[in-house]
Amino acid sequence: MADPRIREPEDVRLVETVVRAVYGRGSERFELPCDVRLNESSRYPEKVLGTHATNGRLLDSTIVTDAAGQKRVRVSGNVDLHAWCKGREGTFVVSRQVPFVREIAIPGAGEADFRNEEASARLLEEPSCGPGSLVKLDGDLCVRAPLRLHLGAEIVGDRRVFAYIRAASKPSKPVAPGLPEPAEWVKADEIDYD
């Protein structure tokens, strides 16, 4: 008589697959002080009436690792900054394209074992500006305004995944006439005809 404590070995198969997955996300809000030179002295600026940011573009995103092994996404891009000013002879607008580079921390990504890593980034909100003021910089008048950005980044990669599949008993007859019998490890009631 067989001992009930000893189990018969089951027909178990090990399946390996590679999946593409996001394994880390991060975001950051930051503010950059920006200066727009007023190169036409004939306008005689007296006051900054308003500032506006447009055309936020992300140019590149790459994965970098710091000394502690923490992964970050380095994002570069630019934004157009416009300043509306009042002068002696009326109002005028000056503009400047502002480049930026920022590293966004990706929490928990340092321990992940992924291959073929890629980084991506996006603007989570439209760029905006704070109030501008007139300042003197190297003898030239400039409009200084804070540029506000909210960026998000993520890292994706390939990872090997192992799954154990227990074989089901073979059905006694085909599931539907004219169809081949399913593999040993597929249960008859799980076949999807879509």
Side-chain angles (χ1 to χ4, degrees):
M1 178 169 225
D3 187 346
R5 293 175 294 170
I6 300 175
R7 298 182 65 191
E8 293 283 326
E10 297 179 15
D11 186 14
V12 176
R13 295 179 191 244
L14 177 64
V15 177
E16 176 187 352
T17 187
V18 176
V19 295
R20 189 93 173 138
V22 174
Y23 67 88
R25 284 191 175 112
S27 66
E28 184 178 354
R29 290 179 190 273
F30 61 96
E31 191 173 283
L32 297 171
C34 300
D35 296 321
V36 181
R37 290 187 185 273
L38 300 168
N39 52 7
E40 294 185 30
S41 58
S42 61
R43 292 177 172 163
Y44 300 106
E46 298 172 349
K47 185 177 182 182
V48 179
L49 301 174
T51 57
H52 188 65
T54 61
N55 301 326
R57 293 173 299 280
L58 300 181
L59 304 174
D60 189 34
S61 53
T62 55
I63 301 169
V64 294
T65 307
D66 62 18
Q70 175 66 41
K71 291 188 180 182
R72 300 174 172 273
V73 175
R74 179 178 292 147
V75 181
S76 62
N78 52 48
V79 176
D80 294 341
L81 180 64
H82 311 278
W84 180 35
C85 302
K86 177 184 174 191
R88 291 183 192 167
E89 300 174 5
T91 62
F92 59 94
V93 174
V94 290
S95 300
R96 175 186 167 214
Q97 190 174 79
V98 179
F100 64 86
V101 176
R102 198 67 174 195
E103 289 186 5
I104 300 172
I106 307 296
E111 304 86 34
D113 181 25
F114 283 78
R115 304 283 183 252
N116 302 323
E117 298 172 324
E118 291 179 0
S120 63
R122 65 187 181 284
L123 288 164
L124 298 177
E125 295 175 5
E126 288 296 317
S128 63
C129 289
S133 59
L134 291 172
V135 296
K136 202 152 200 161
L137 186 67
D138 299 328
D140 293 332
L141 271 176
C142 297
V143 174
R144 178 167 288 168
L147 176 63
R148 300 181 186 117
L149 293 166
H150 186 191
L151 299 177
E154 67 183 19
I155 300 176
V156 299
D158 296 336
R159 184 162 195 174
R160 288 177 20 178
V161 176
F162 296 94
Y164 291 97
I165 300 175
R166 184 181 317 147
S169 61
K170 188 174 181 181
S172 59
K173 60 181 180 178
V175 176
L179 291 177
E181 290 190 27
E184 293 177 358
W185 48 274
V186 175
K187 291 183 180 176
D189 57 67
E190 291 181 355
I191 293 181
D192 184 6
Y193 295 104
D194 291 339

